[in-house]
Amino acid sequence: DTAVSQTPKYLVTQMGNDKSIKCEQNLGHDTMYWYKQDSKKFLKIMFSYNNKELIINETVPNRFSPKSPDKAHLNLHINSLELGDSAVYFCASSQTGTGTDTQYFGPGTRLTVL
Amino acid sequence: AQSVTQLGSHVSVSEGALVLLRCNYSSSVPPYLFWYVQYPNQGLQLLLKYTSAATLVKGINGFEAEFKKSETSFHLTKPSAHMSDAAEYFCAVSDSSYKLIFGSGTRLLVRP
C-alpha cells in the first residue's frame, strides 16, 4: 500500500487553464503539506493543514488554493496557470506536524505549462 | 529566520570511497535537523534526523550525521559509497513549528 499517493503523476496543460492535483495518505497522520520543487531542485513549502485547518500559507499566489475535505486528503487547485507554475509538486504528511516529525512524501506530480 | 546551506551542488566519489555531504544551518532556537534523499523521479525519503538527543545520529543505508553546535553543522557521511547511493540529498531544518526549510540539495555521483 502506498503511504502518500498523488494523482496525476504527470500533468501537461496550456497557459490559462485550471487544474487540480489530488493527494491522499493512509498513515493516519494529522498534518499534510504541499511543496513545490523547481527546475533547480529547490524545495519550498507552500501550504500545510493540520486536522483540516490551514496552518501554513507561504507567499503563494492566490491562484493556488488548497482544500482538505478530511484528514487523509489534501488537494491543490491552480487557476489561470502560468509558465512559471511548471514544477514538481510534492504532497507530504506527518503525524502531528511538530518540528521533530518525519514528513512522508508522495511521488510528486510533474506539472508542465505550455 | 532559519536557513540551511549545503556546500557543493555536486559531489563525485568513487565506489567504496568515503561520502561527505556538508550542511550548515542557521537558527535562533535549538534546531531539529534532517537529511532526506531523493532518487530520480521519486519523492523524498528520510535518511536520519537530529532531535536534541544524541549528537551522532545513525540513519538508514549506513549513513550517519553529527550535530556540531559550535560549528552550526550537520554533515552527512558514509564510510563506503555504493552505486545505489547516487541520488539528490537534502538537508533541512525546523523549529517547533510545522515548517521544514530545505537546503538547495547536493547531487551525489558515484563512479564505478
Side-chain angles (χ1 to χ4, degrees), chain A residues 19-21 34 46-47 49 60-68 74-79:
Chain A
K19 290 294 177 186
S20 291
I21 306 171
W34 278 111
M46 301 171 69
F47 303 103
Y49 272 74
V60 176
N62 57 17
R63 299 181 295 102
F64 290 78
S65 53
K67 283 193 172 49
S68 182
L74 180 62
N75 303 323
L76 183 65
H77 188 76
I78 316 170
N79 289 327

Side-chain angles (χ1 to χ4, degrees), chain B residues 5-23:
Chain B
T5 302
Q6 291 185 241
L7 296 173
S9 59
H10 291 79
V11 169
S12 180
V13 301
S14 298
E15 193 173 19
L18 171 72
V19 175
L20 171 61
L21 304 182
R22 298 177 189 274
C23 172

Side-chain angles (χ1 to χ4, degrees), chain B residues 47-87:
Chain B
L47 274 177
L48 49 82
K49 63 180 178 181
Y50 167 76
T51 58
S52 76
T55 56
L56 182 62
V57 182
K58 293 188 185 300
I60 62 172
N61 300 339
F63 284 94
E64 63 181 38
E66 187 171 7
F67 173 70
K68 291 187 178 180
K69 185 178 177 181
S70 60
E71 299 176 8
T72 61
S73 69
F74 190 58
H75 302 331
L76 182 71
T77 60
K78 181 174 180 177
S80 176
H82 294 161
M83 297 297 290
S84 59
D85 293 327

Side-chain angles (χ1 to χ4, degrees), chain A:
Chain A
D1 265 351
T2 304
V4 182
S5 59
Q6 296 178 228
T7 53
K9 189 166 175 61
Y10 299 97
L11 190 49
V12 181
T13 188
Q14 300 286 334
M15 271 198 315
N17 284 351
D18 303 339
K19 290 294 177 186
S20 291
I21 306 171
K22 298 189 174 187
C23 177
E24 176 180 2
Q25 55 97 1
N26 62 7
L27 297 168
H29 288 167
D30 287 343
T31 309
M32 296 184 73
Y33 311 80
W34 278 111
Y35 287 88
K36 179 180 180 180
Q37 187 175 47
D38 64 22
S39 58
K40 295 186 178 178
K41 299 286 188 179
F42 184 67
L43 264 165
K44 188 167 169 29
I45 190 164
M46 301 171 69
F47 303 103
S48 177
Y49 272 74
N50 180 263
N51 278 318
K52 301 195 297 174
E53 285 194 33
L54 182 66
I55 52 171
I56 294 176
N57 185 350
E58 290 294 287
T59 312
V60 176
N62 57 17
R63 299 181 295 102
F64 290 78
S65 53
K67 283 193 172 49
S68 182
D70 55 58
K71 271 183 15 174
H73 296 85
L74 180 62
N75 303 323
L76 183 65
H77 188 76
I78 316 170
N79 289 327
S80 304
L81 278 155
E82 299 178 357
L83 292 177
D85 298 332
S86 294
V88 181
Y89 293 84
F90 287 99
C91 177
S93 73
S94 68
Q95 184 68 54
T96 61
T98 56
T100 58
D101 263 5
T102 297
Q103 293 188 20
Y104 294 82
F105 284 76
T109 295
R110 183 175 294 274
L111 171 64
T112 303
V113 183
L114 304 175

